[in-house]
């Protein structure tokens, strides 16, 4: 794995057998990264190498006057090369792009990004856009993500100390906290998760109960020891 970073007046340049590409990026002289090229080499790695790492990926970054990231211009080499037979290389070049909008105090108000996507009914489709509008409460806590372009919504609730109680994205429907504001019981994704802590607030016990038909699977972790049990 290799990462090559560009600073100041430098711009990363992407090469593959079919094209040369320079992403959109700012030229900053304050230490922020203008861009990065990442490449991977799995020679000598045990087992089969993972897919989609034959060609480098390149990103260019733009920031606002407060040095907040506002745009990432990405190009994932393997997606572009794989889209060439479909004639969709221009669409594939947008995969990895991200845009951010902030409010006056630095909270993210909107995120849009383009991801790889396939459609069995239309093989020429190689990407789609997803994104969210962010909503915060008076205490500046994220309460809702409103999906853009069919992106799923998410909602969050908190207790009076600011601890998160529910999270629809991770399917957390209930959270109970201990005296030290550590979670000791969660109901998430049809599982009941219980934690216990030592007198110095170190987590030392975890138990997960997952009902599946007539079999209840319990997983108990005591410090670094794992005890799987099944109760019928």
């Amino acid at each position: 794995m290799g990462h090559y970073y560009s600073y100041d007046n430098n711009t990363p340049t992407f090469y593959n057998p079919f094209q040369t590409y320079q992403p959109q990026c700012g030229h900053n002289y304050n230490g922020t990264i203008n861009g990065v090229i990442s490449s991977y080499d799995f020679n000598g790695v045990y087992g089969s190498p993972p897919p989609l790492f034959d060609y480098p990926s390149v990103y260019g970054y733009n920031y606002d006057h407060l040095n907040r990231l506002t745009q990432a211009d990405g190009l994932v080499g393997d997606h572009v090369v794989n889209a060439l037979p479909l004639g969709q290389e221009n669409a594939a070049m947008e995969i990895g792009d991200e845009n951010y909008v902030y409010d006056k105090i630095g909270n993210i108000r909107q995120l849009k990004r383009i991801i790889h996507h396939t459609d069995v009914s239309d093989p020429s489709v190689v990407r789609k856009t997803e994104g969210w509008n962010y909503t915060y409460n008076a205490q500046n806590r994220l309460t809702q993500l409103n999906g853009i372009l069919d992106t799923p919504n998410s909602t969050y609730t908190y207790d009076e100390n600011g601890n998160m109680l529910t999270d629809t994205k991770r399917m957390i429907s209930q959270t109970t906290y201990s005296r030290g504001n550590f979670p000791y019981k969660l109901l998430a994704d049809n599982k009941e998760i219980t934690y216990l802590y030592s007198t110095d607030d170190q987590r030392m016990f975890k138990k997960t109960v997952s009902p599946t038909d007539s079999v209840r699977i319990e997983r108990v972790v005591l410090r670094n020891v794992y005890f799987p049990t099944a109760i019928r």
Side-chain angles (χ1 to χ4, degrees):
M1 180 184 300
H3 302 291
Y4 304 93
Y5 300 95
S6 296
Y7 298 88
D8 300 333
N9 197 38
N10 298 314
T11 302
T13 303
F14 169 86
Y15 301 96
N16 66 28
F18 310 99
Q19 67 184 149
T20 299
Y21 178 77
Q22 285 189 320
Q24 299 180 29
C25 65
H27 291 155
N28 307 291
Y29 294 86
N30 56 7
T32 54
I33 298 173
N34 294 335
V36 60
I37 297 178
S38 297
S39 57
Y40 304 85
D41 183 0
F42 293 98
N43 290 328
V45 175
Y46 177 78
S48 301
L52 297 178
F53 288 101
D54 291 333
Y55 299 95
S57 298
V58 59
Y59 275 88
Y61 302 113
N62 283 284
Y63 306 85
D64 63 15
H65 294 301
L66 297 178
N67 280 334
R68 298 175 299 198
L69 179 66
T70 57
Q71 181 187 28
D73 180 15
L75 187 147
V76 182
D78 288 86
H79 288 322
V80 175
V81 173
N82 292 338
L84 285 170
L86 303 173
Q88 296 296 320
E89 61 272 17
N90 289 334
M93 287 175 66
E94 298 179 358
I95 297 171
D97 290 359
E98 297 190 2
N99 290 276
Y100 301 85
V101 177
Y102 302 86
D103 64 16
K104 293 180 180 180
I105 59 176
N107 296 315
I108 296 177
R109 299 299 300 183
Q110 186 181 86
L111 163 62
K112 286 185 179 180
R113 62 189 176 200
I114 299 176
I115 63 174
H116 179 251
H117 176 70
T118 57
D119 188 336
V120 294
S121 64
D122 186 356
S124 66
V125 174
V126 297
R127 63 167 175 77
K128 73 173 183 179
T129 301
E130 65 176 10
W132 298 268
N133 290 314
Y134 291 62
T135 301
Y136 302 85
N137 63 16
Q139 289 75 40
N140 211 32
R141 298 169 187 146
L142 179 66
T143 57
Q144 190 163 355
L145 294 175
N146 298 304
I148 302 171
L149 300 174
D150 299 324
T151 307
N153 299 330
S154 301
T155 57
Y156 309 87
T157 61
Y158 305 85
D159 64 17
E160 60 184 8
N161 295 321
N163 299 310
M164 189 187 70
L165 297 175
T166 63
D167 175 351
T168 58
K169 182 176 178 62
R170 292 184 292 174
M171 293 183 284
I172 298 175
S173 58
Q174 179 181 328
T175 309
T176 306
Y177 291 86
S178 66
R179 57 171 179 78
N181 285 327
F182 295 105
Y184 72 83
K185 184 177 181 181
L186 286 84
L187 300 180
D189 191 19
N190 202 30
K191 300 180 181 68
E192 182 179 286
I193 304 171
T194 305
Y195 301 101
L196 291 178
Y197 302 86
S198 64
T199 55
D200 58 350
D201 293 327
Q202 300 296 311
R203 183 184 295 177
M204 58 179 295
F205 176 91
K206 176 182 178 182
K207 176 181 177 181
T208 303
V209 178
S210 303
T212 56
D213 298 328
S214 60
V215 179
R216 186 179 72 180
I217 305 297
E218 294 186 357
R219 294 178 176 86
V220 178
V221 177
L222 182 59
R223 293 192 183 276
N224 295 322
V225 182
Y226 173 65
F227 304 95
T229 62
I231 301 176
R232 296 184 182 273

